[in-house]
Amino acid sequence: MKTEDLRMLKEKALDIRRLTVEEIAHLGIGHVGGCLSVIEILVLLYYRHMTHDPANPSREDRDKFVLSKGHAGPALYAVLADRGFFPKDLLYTLNQGGTNLPSHCDMNKTPGIDMTTGSLGQGLSAAVGMALGHRLKNLSGRVFALIGDGDTNEGQTWEAAMSASMYGLSNLIAFTDYNKMQIDGPSEKIMRLDLLQERWESFGWFTQRVDGHDLDALDGALERACAEAKRPSMIIADTVKGKGIPHIENDYTNHNMPLTREDAEKVYAWLDRCESELEETNREVQP
Amino acid sequence: MNYVIERAAQDEQQPEMRAVYGEELVRLAEEDERIVVLDADLMRANGTVCFRDRFPERTFDLGVAEANMVGVAAGLSATGLIPFPASFSCFAARRTFDQFFLSANYARQNVKLTGSDPGVAAAYNGGTHMSFEDLGLMRTIPGIVICEPADPVSLRSLLPQIAFRRGSSYLRLHRKPVTPIYAPSETFELGKGKVLCEGSDLTIIAAGAILVAEAIAAAELLEEKGVSATVIDMHTIKPLDEDLLVRWARTTGAVLTAENHQVQGGLGSAVAEVLGEHCPVPHIRVGVQDEFGEVGTQQYLQERFGLTAENIINQARRLVEKKTGTHRERKGA
């Protein structure tokens, strides 16, 4: 990736992290941890790889995205608002009665959402169906999916994994937001997912493992996945639940937590520092 | 008996419902390229092998993984296709309920789920495979269409309506040979019950291949004994034809429902809900009385659970007595 592209994505990741925190802090409570661990993956998809058209969100010749961990909806809403699918003001209606932005993704309510999700384990099956549908209809659009540790606990995810491999769905590229935390504690203590890469490989998927907050590394993995011609791809992204709010990072109670104004202010201060650092680095690399 | 429809020739051989289902899907798919078929390793049982032979690229056998099958169907629907996933009704309803509820119905997709071998039709597969609860589960899903055709003619007429009505549906499909009921020219409208014969003493409302045939046989025998029954084939269980139901409940003053399902949650419950609100008349529910299924021949099981013309006759006479009794009590008061 070109240096300026990487710089743009890094800046975008900071913007989206800030917007997501603003959105949840406005309500005062939300799925903070799992929203903040997926930011870089979403930014990479929506600002570099996916074809989409905010003016016509349902056009047939586009890539599609299934957020199987539907509770990370608020992070995706921040991306969609920033990309122009709907006005940013809408973000402040999150979870309010009558809103078009429910806690979990709803394709019938929110422009740009390609599949309704919320019961873990169901997203990958739907993505398999979409990938089969694209192939049957000769559509070039790829199907991207993002699953979490909780999804990975669900048996249905492994049924979907079998079927994607059986049908050789190279147009299906999935990420695991491997933050290693779930609601009741660290996955290590609740339901171990060790040998995760070997598991996906043994199910016949082209599997890679990268740092899920390293945009350059993620991009490399995604490029290789897009070039894979025969198998579905899984990119296991090592992430930090709550990434960007240092005092809650990796605290499993951050799954669904109150987010006060003061918390938010701390995050903005941290994001400001990151931004200054990024600008500093940019000045250094420029002649 | 006062039939208001043309009956099938009585010497007609008994056709298999699954064969009609498979043939009809092929016919629909020839007209419309959006039709696709999914199964969970039961294509031979569900009669869709002919579809796979004709449209291999539009057939997806997902193996013994019903939850994934329904999720994949929802994904196919999201790309504009019209998927028909099928399994035995016990698995289609119980095992995939969350997937069908959420990925298909809540997501407003167009998934045409078929559950075959309902209730006692599971016969030698026994209690594990005997769905007496699928209608109860399905009826709680908002906006869904639930249909249980009684014979090949009604299946042929209703299947295209199910296919081309936007939204998800549950087709409760008897797959084995059935008694032909309707003349080939008969047509059906989704959501509108079919009155087979008109009588004045009670209304028998039945659904499905076994109970509609038993209800007709019962009505014929009742007629000989001086009891005149209206028989309605309520092929669409949701949305229920409330107008027709209330009209005939008023006319005859007594309703008997007959179903190959628990009396809780199925046709009997659906009818009782409407009668209770709009036309409370004496009502007896013939069906499985809060029991699990068991193994045996279909004939044995029909007798075991009272899903026979004989039981319908006995209950009908009880019902007519109850109605007269109520009438007398009211007069006395």
Side-chain angles (χ1 to χ4, degrees), chain A residues 132-146:
Chain A
L132 284 170
H134 280 200
R135 190 157 77 181
L136 186 59
K137 297 175 88 175
N138 284 320
L139 297 171
S140 60
R142 299 155 298 179
V143 180
F144 297 98
L146 173 51

Side-chain angles (χ1 to χ4, degrees), chain A residues 39-116:
Chain A
I39 301 282
E40 280 77 13
I41 297 169
L42 298 182
V43 164
L44 186 71
L45 286 172
Y46 278 86
Y47 294 87
R48 186 166 169 85
H49 285 271
M50 276 176 64
T51 56
H52 54 81
D53 182 357
N56 183 9
S58 57
R59 57 187 288 174
E60 224 180 12
D61 60 338
R62 73 188 197 281
D63 292 332
K64 287 187 179 144
F65 178 61
V66 179
L67 183 60
S68 188
K69 45 173 292 183
H71 56 281
L76 182 52
Y77 303 154
V79 169
L80 294 174
D82 188 66
R83 290 258 67 169
F85 282 87
F86 48 82
K88 281 188 184 165
D89 285 353
L90 210 61
L91 293 175
Y92 304 113
T93 69
L94 179 73
N95 285 357
Q96 309 285 359
T99 185
N100 282 313
L101 302 183
S103 59
H104 298 76
C105 295
D106 189 328
M107 65 192 295
N108 297 297
K109 287 200 160 74
T110 316
I113 295 291
D114 292 325
M115 189 64 208
T116 297

Side-chain angles (χ1 to χ4, degrees), chain B residues 18 73 80 138 143 167 184 211 237 248 257 274 276 312 333:
Chain B
R18 62 179 159 192
M138 293 300 170
L211 268 306
I237 288 136
W248 280 101
T257 47
V274 174
I312 293 174

Side-chain angles (χ1 to χ4, degrees), chain A residues 197-218:
Chain A
Q197 187 167 356
E198 288 85 342
R199 292 190 200 192
W200 284 98
E201 272 168 7
S202 73
F203 272 70
W205 287 54
F206 169 49
T207 310
Q208 306 170 75
R209 185 166 178 176
V210 294
D211 178 344
H213 299 300
D214 181 338
L215 283 156
D216 205 16
L218 274 173

Side-chain angles (χ1 to χ4, degrees), chain A residues 60 64 106-109 114-119 122 125-126 128-130 132-134 136-137 156 159-160 163 167, chain B residues 36 57-62 65-68 71-72 74-76 78-81 98-99 102-103 106-109:
Chain A
E60 224 180 12
K64 287 187 179 144
D106 189 328
M107 65 192 295
N108 297 297
K109 287 200 160 74
D114 292 325
M115 189 64 208
T116 297
T117 50
S119 180
Q122 295 196 20
S125 293
V128 168
M130 288 176 176
L132 284 170
H134 280 200
L136 186 59
K137 297 175 88 175
Q156 189 184 350
E159 293 184 3
S163 61
Y167 283 91
Chain B
V36 296
E57 75 291 352
R58 285 156 69 177
T59 306
F60 306 103
D61 197 329
L62 278 308
E66 295 81 6
N68 184 49
V72 169
L76 285 161
T79 66
L81 296 163
D98 189 38
Q99 289 74 22
L102 205 155
S103 290
Y106 180 74
R108 308 248 183 259
Q109 292 306 318

